[in-house]
mmCIF file of all heavy atoms in Angstrom:
data_model
loop_
_atom_site.group_PDB
_atom_site.id
_atom_site.type_symbol
_atom_site.label_atom_id
_atom_site.label_comp_id
_atom_site.label_asym_id
_atom_site.label_seq_id
_atom_site.Cartn_x
_atom_site.Cartn_y
_atom_site.Cartn_z
ATOM 1 N N MET E 52 88.602 161.359 89.869
ATOM 2 C CA MET E 52 87.375 160.568 89.993
ATOM 3 C C MET E 52 87.368 159.327 89.102
ATOM 4 O O MET E 52 86.505 158.469 89.248
ATOM 5 C CB MET E 52 86.166 161.447 89.652
ATOM 6 C CG MET E 52 85.945 162.608 90.598
ATOM 7 S SD MET E 52 84.518 163.593 90.124
ATOM 8 C CE MET E 52 83.186 162.425 90.352
ATOM 9 N N THR E 85 84.737 153.860 64.577
ATOM 10 C CA THR E 85 84.369 153.359 63.261
ATOM 11 C C THR E 85 82.870 153.118 63.159
ATOM 12 O O THR E 85 82.187 152.867 64.154
ATOM 13 C CB THR E 85 85.099 152.035 62.935
ATOM 14 O OG1 THR E 85 84.738 151.041 63.900
ATOM 15 C CG2 THR E 85 86.606 152.228 62.947
ATOM 16 N N PRO E 93 84.571 149.165 56.943
ATOM 17 C CA PRO E 93 84.712 150.099 58.074
ATOM 18 C C PRO E 93 85.024 151.515 57.595
ATOM 19 O O PRO E 93 85.839 151.715 56.693
ATOM 20 C CB PRO E 93 85.900 149.508 58.856
ATOM 21 C CG PRO E 93 86.713 148.794 57.829
ATOM 22 C CD PRO E 93 85.734 148.270 56.811
#
Side-chain angles (χ1 to χ4, degrees):
M52 296 180 65
T85 61

